[in-house]
């Protein structure tokens, strides 16, 4: 199947700093990318949907100024957690989908710990 | 709106037991249906899918049939292995470019040797 690479796989940062997470589709062009957040032993919560070249669409309750999403090319989307706080600690997962398919391919996830 | 409901876990079985994880959905139109698996500390992997009514998705001994009349997509496996221990997510998606993938809450499966 198609490959989606997410980097880094884990990161520890200090409170108040910003962290950038990258999501790349390695062998296909991803017109749509999704960012999810997963709390321990819970399901994936969709944070936002991004389409290449346009602004991301955020789900209700997700702060767009805190979770900055950029989808500048058909193979790369980034999620930046700005001014991170301990409550932002979580497992963040991206997925990517080519325009003509419904199947989405997932990255391996990034575990963010804010101390 | 669109939603997915799956049985709550954890589910604990002995090796070689028969597995069923129930999943029902609510959707407008004709969604595609998926089962994803998440092994500890990893992202999601697509396990199987079905795109229209009566389709059967299958992979690694797992099967699920798209039942439109009962709006269900139950996951089954005839003989589970310890390595099948993971969290299983039922999901749906529509064909439109911007449509979201809606996940169930996940079912944690423990297989005992």
């Amino acid at each position: 199947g198609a490959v989606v690479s997410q980097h880094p796989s884990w990161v520890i940062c200090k409170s108040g700093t910003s962290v950038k997470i990258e999501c790349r589709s390695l062998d296909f062009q991803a017109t749509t990318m999704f960012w999810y957040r997963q709390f321990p032993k819970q399901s994936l919560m969709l944070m936002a949907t991004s389409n290449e070249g346009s602004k991301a669409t955020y789900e209700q309750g997700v702060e767009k100024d805190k979770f900055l999403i950029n989808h500048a090319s058909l193979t790369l989307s980034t999620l930046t957690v700005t001014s991170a706080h301990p409550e932002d600690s979580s497992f963040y997962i991206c997925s990517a989908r080519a325009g003509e398919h419904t199947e989405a391919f997932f990255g391996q996830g990034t575990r963010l710990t804010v101390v | 709106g669109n939603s997915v409901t799956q049985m709550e876990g954890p589910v604990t079985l002995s090796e070689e037991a028969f597995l069923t994880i129930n999943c029902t959905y609510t959707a407008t139109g004709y969604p595609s249906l998926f089962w994803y698996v998440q092994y500890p500390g990893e992202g999601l992997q697509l396990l199987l899918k079905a795109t229209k009514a009566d389709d059967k998705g299958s992979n690694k001994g797992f099967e699920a049939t798209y039942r439109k009349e009962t709006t269900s997509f139950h996951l089954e496996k005839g003989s589970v292995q310890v390595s099948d221990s993971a969290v299983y997510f039922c999901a749906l998606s529509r064909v439109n470019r911007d449509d979201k993938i809606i996940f169930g809450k996940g079912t944690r499966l423990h297989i005992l040797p």
Side-chain angles (χ1 to χ4, degrees):
Chain A
V3 178
V4 174
S5 176
Q6 195 171 332
H7 178 81
S9 56
W10 62 270
V11 57
I12 301 173
C13 71
K14 289 185 177 180
S15 238
T17 61
S18 295
V19 174
K20 180 184 285 188
I21 302 170
E22 292 187 347
C23 180
R24 294 181 185 272
S25 57
L26 298 186
D27 50 4
F28 68 101
Q29 293 186 327
T31 54
T32 305
M33 286 188 171
F34 304 90
W35 286 96
Y36 295 86
R37 182 174 180 176
Q38 185 180 31
F39 293 98
K41 299 186 179 181
Q42 294 190 30
S43 188
L44 284 74
M45 181 190 79
L46 180 64
M47 299 174 67
T49 303
S50 73
N51 293 301
E52 184 266 338
S54 60
K55 289 184 178 180
T57 302
Y58 289 80
E59 294 299 301
Q60 192 171 10
V62 178
E63 298 176 62
K64 59 182 68 177
D65 293 331
K66 180 164 187 64
F67 298 100
L68 300 178
I69 291 172
N70 183 279
H71 191 168
S73 77
L74 285 170
T75 59
L76 173 65
S77 176
T78 59
L79 167 66
T80 302
V81 183
T82 62
S83 187
H85 292 285
E87 57 265 30
D88 298 325
S89 299
S90 193
F91 196 55
Y92 293 87
I93 302 176
C94 74
S95 72
R97 187 168 73 188
E100 64 269 28
H101 300 297
T102 59
E103 180 174 344
F105 299 94
F106 286 78
Q108 74 275 29
T110 298
R111 183 162 301 285
L112 169 63
T113 303
V114 184
V115 297
Chain B
N2 299 328
S3 67
V4 176
T5 302
Q6 63 183 104
M7 63 189 290
E8 290 190 22
V11 173
T12 303
L13 296 172
S14 297
E15 204 166 22
E16 299 184 2
F18 183 86
L19 168 71
T20 300
I21 300 178
N22 290 338
C23 172
T24 57
Y25 68 91
T26 301
T28 54
Y30 301 95
S32 293
L33 302 174
F34 308 87
W35 276 100
Y36 286 88
V37 57
Q38 184 179 32
Y39 297 102
E42 299 183 14
L44 271 70
Q45 301 174 27
L46 179 65
L47 180 60
L48 54 84
K49 67 177 181 180
T51 58
K52 61 183 187 297
D54 299 325
D55 267 3
K56 177 185 284 187
S58 61
N59 185 27
K60 299 181 181 179
F62 290 90
E63 292 183 341
T65 301
Y66 190 146
R67 300 285 188 201
K68 196 171 190 312
E69 64 276 13
T70 54
T71 61
S72 65
F73 193 56
H74 304 322
L75 182 68
E76 296 181 337
K77 186 173 185 181
S79 176
V80 292
Q81 306 299 314
V82 173
S83 56
D84 293 327
S85 298
V87 181
Y88 292 81
F89 293 93
C90 186
L92 69 81
S93 174
R94 287 170 56 191
V95 175
N96 291 344
R97 180 172 178 262
D98 295 333
D99 268 4
K100 311 166 192 177
I101 300 172
I102 306 297
F103 287 90
K105 293 187 175 180
T107 302
R108 186 172 297 275
L109 175 66
H110 294 291
I111 305 300
L112 304 175

